[in-house]
Amino acid sequence: MIVIGCDHGGFELKQELMNYLKSIGKEVLDCGTYDTQSVDYPDIAEKTCKEYLKGGYEFGILICGTGIGISMAANKIDGIRCALVSIEYSAEMTKRHNNANMLAFGGRVTGVELAISILKAYMNAEFEGGRHENRINKIHSLEK
Ligand code: RB5
């Protein structure tokens, strides 16, 4: 199960990524927004991340116009490691080294085909653990 959320700037890309994920057999929980009416991305980040933190999700996806605001908001929430990704290499490495549990995209930055390719790079990668686990623990110690 994957949880996804967007503001109005990410609505179209959210629909496309949901369609892709469903086409490969993934279940997706849609935290909105559900149309192109203007909403505030911190509200969507909060709703989506809190849903993710309930447990049972592989990872989450957040989309706003640039991906910047919604990733900034997500990373304020304890337990969230949100990576704003715009190329496959970063997506692969954020899984391998940061074990990002939330991916952010810019709906006005990244086209559908590239976004799907980036998503595949993340999903096909594995967290390496070891020294990277220690570094992740240090990230979360900054929350205190
Ligand atoms: C909304 O216009 C836009 O500011 C938002 O989607 C996002 O790009 C903010 O970082």
Side-chain angles (χ1 to χ4, degrees):
M1 177 81 99
I2 293 159
V3 64
I4 193 165
C6 70
D7 76 354
H8 52 289
F11 176 73
E12 284 166 20
L13 183 57
K14 172 169 71 72
Q15 301 312 110
E16 298 283 356
L17 292 184
M18 284 177 55
N19 288 340
Y20 167 70
L21 289 166
K22 288 175 184 172
S23 79
I24 59 166
K26 299 286 188 187
E27 284 185 80
V28 184
L29 187 107
D30 183 2
C31 287
T33 187
Y34 304 107
D35 57 35
T36 54
Q37 292 282 318
S38 182
V39 292
D40 295 334
Y41 56 80
D43 297 335
I44 300 293
E46 181 182 20
K47 181 178 176 186
T48 310
C49 291
K50 287 189 171 169
E51 182 59 39
Y52 171 81
L53 292 169
K54 287 179 185 172
Y57 293 98
E58 291 173 56
F59 65 96
I61 299 173
L62 292 169
I63 313 167
C64 67
T66 58
I68 297 171
I70 206 159
S71 59
M72 285 180 170
N75 280 315
K76 294 288 183 188
I77 299 171
D78 289 6
I80 297 298
R81 295 182 303 282
C82 180
L84 172 56
V85 285
S86 55
I87 58 171
E88 292 90 341
Y89 177 76
S90 302
E92 177 188 340
M93 295 311 291
T94 201
K95 180 67 183 177
R96 288 172 55 184
H97 287 190
N98 317 120
N99 202 16
N101 52 22
M102 197 68 59
L103 285 185
F105 291 93
R108 297 172 181 154
V109 175
T110 304
V112 175
E113 294 307 318
L114 178 57
I116 290 171
S117 180
I118 290 167
L119 191 50
K120 283 181 188 169
Y122 170 84
M123 291 193 295
N124 289 335
E126 301 252 340
F127 178 50
E128 292 175 12
R131 68 186 187 281
H132 302 296
E133 184 89 57
N134 185 42
R135 290 166 184 166
I136 287 170
N137 291 339
K138 288 190 177 188
I139 290 176
H140 289 295
S141 72
L142 297 171
E143 292 166 350
K144 300 184 182 84

